[in-house]
Amino acid sequence: MKIGFIGLGNMARAMIGGMLEKEMVQAADIIGSAKTKKTLEAVHETYGIAVTDSNRTVAEQVEVLVLAVKPQFLGEVIAEIRAVLPEDTLVISIAAGKSLTWLEEAFGKWVKLVRFMPNTPALVGEGCTGICVNDAVSQEEQAYSLQLAESFGKGDFVEERLMDAVGAVSGSSPAYVFLFMEAMADAGVAAGLPRKKAYEFAAQAVYGSAKLMLKTGSHPGELKDMVCSPGGTTIEGVRILEERGFRGAVMDALLATVEKSKKL
């Protein structure tokens, strides 16, 4: 199956790398387009796929087309390719805020449409992708879409009305986690840890905590309680976080990203 990518940024590269590593497709069966010669050369050298500066060339040649461009450029790209897009092409969009209805109207015709909401940990094979489809997508194509998403992490189907929430909880949240880790490391440095070691300890603590929750299936509150000994150091830190409105601030931040996504 021939797969094309319009846009070759970080997320597209994560998807390409995952597909090749899982041997879903060979490099010879992937083609991608981008605006700059530097990007085209870098992707070709890294992955060995065919590259071009023509979006129309990609759209004409493939059975699966991934639209990996930013939301503000998506309408322009669709206007460029819709006349040459074969009717049986499976189109996957990773643009936040652009609904299946919006995509159908932009194409101006019946198109097999899939929306992915991935996140940046896909770059290391640990992504989490929300998926929804329109009525034109068959059961077999849905299964293929899930297989594709799972080539660079985990994937799951959700109702489209929940995609903005997926974008907040999964898509945007790595930025908040990195901010949290940076703050943890800064505190470590203030307490005397060398900067490099502070980052390593903070990152491993977050990674290990997430893995523990996923592996045990335990409620996060239960796992938090395991660390908080009576009268101990951890519960004192929890007290300060609660006093400063930590949970409320996190919830407000994610709900703000949901609202922003709806306006894109």
Side-chain angles (χ1 to χ4, degrees):
M1 185 175 289
K2 191 84 170 179
I3 301 177
F5 286 80
I6 293 180
L8 293 171
N10 287 335
M11 201 58 66
R13 298 184 201 199
M15 295 174 71
I16 292 168
M19 291 162 55
L20 293 176
E21 185 175 347
K22 295 289 180 67
E23 298 184 345
M24 287 188 63
V25 67
Q26 301 299 310
D29 293 321
I30 304 176
I31 182 172
S33 62
K35 287 185 176 181
T36 69
K37 183 178 180 181
K38 181 180 179 181
T39 297
L40 294 172
E41 290 177 347
V43 170
H44 175 68
E45 182 177 346
T46 302
Y47 301 105
I49 69 169
V51 294
T52 175
D53 62 1
S54 170
N55 296 334
R56 289 171 64 92
T57 296
V58 175
E60 289 173 328
Q61 294 185 10
V62 301
E63 296 162 274
V64 178
L65 178 64
V66 181
L67 301 176
V69 297
K70 296 185 183 301
Q72 60 265 38
F73 303 128
L74 190 56
E76 176 185 337
V77 167
I78 291 174
E80 181 184 357
I81 66 170
R82 61 190 172 199
V84 300
L85 185 76
E87 63 179 20
D88 288 334
T89 304
L90 182 67
V91 178
I92 299 173
S93 168
I94 67 170
K98 300 302 184 185
S99 69
L100 294 171
T101 298
W102 186 95
L103 291 163
E104 288 170 355
E105 291 175 353
F107 276 105
K109 59 182 179 181
W110 191 241
V111 179
K112 298 177 180 180
L113 291 171
V114 180
R115 284 186 65 196
F116 274 8
M117 185 55 61
N119 62 4
T120 54
L123 291 164
V124 291
E126 294 291 347
C128 189
T129 302
I131 310 166
C132 64
V133 304
N134 72 354
D135 292 338
V137 178
S138 68
Q139 291 292 323
E140 183 180 355
E141 289 164 336
Q142 289 185 43
Y144 177 80
S145 300
L146 178 60
Q147 185 182 12
L148 176 57
E150 290 183 338
S151 72
F152 48 88
K154 296 182 182 295
D156 200 1
F157 288 95
V158 299
E159 296 177 43
E160 186 175 27
R161 66 182 181 83
L162 300 175
M163 286 293 273
D164 292 322
V166 171
V169 176
S170 178
S172 297
S173 61
Y176 314 140
V177 174
F178 294 135
L179 189 65
F180 177 53
M181 287 194 293
E182 187 176 28
M184 290 168 64
D186 283 346
V189 171
L193 273 176
R195 173 68 63 179
K196 186 173 185 298
K197 287 192 179 296
Y199 281 136
E200 289 174 353
F201 279 116
Q204 184 61 37
V206 171
Y207 175 77
S209 299
K211 190 171 183 178
L212 179 62
M213 179 177 159
L214 290 172
K215 189 148 190 171
T216 63
S218 298
H219 189 282
E222 179 184 351
L223 296 173
K224 179 263 294 178
D225 289 349
M226 287 171 56
V227 191
C228 295
S229 303
T233 57
T234 305
I235 194 63
E236 185 65 14
V238 169
R239 183 184 68 79
I240 295 296
L241 290 173
E242 295 286 20
E243 188 177 85
R244 305 291 169 85
F246 177 74
R247 282 195 274 194
V250 172
M251 290 175 67
D252 286 346
L254 267 68
L255 290 172
T257 67
V258 171
E259 292 306 310
K260 180 66 174 181
S261 180
K262 290 178 179 178
K263 295 175 183 177
L264 290 175

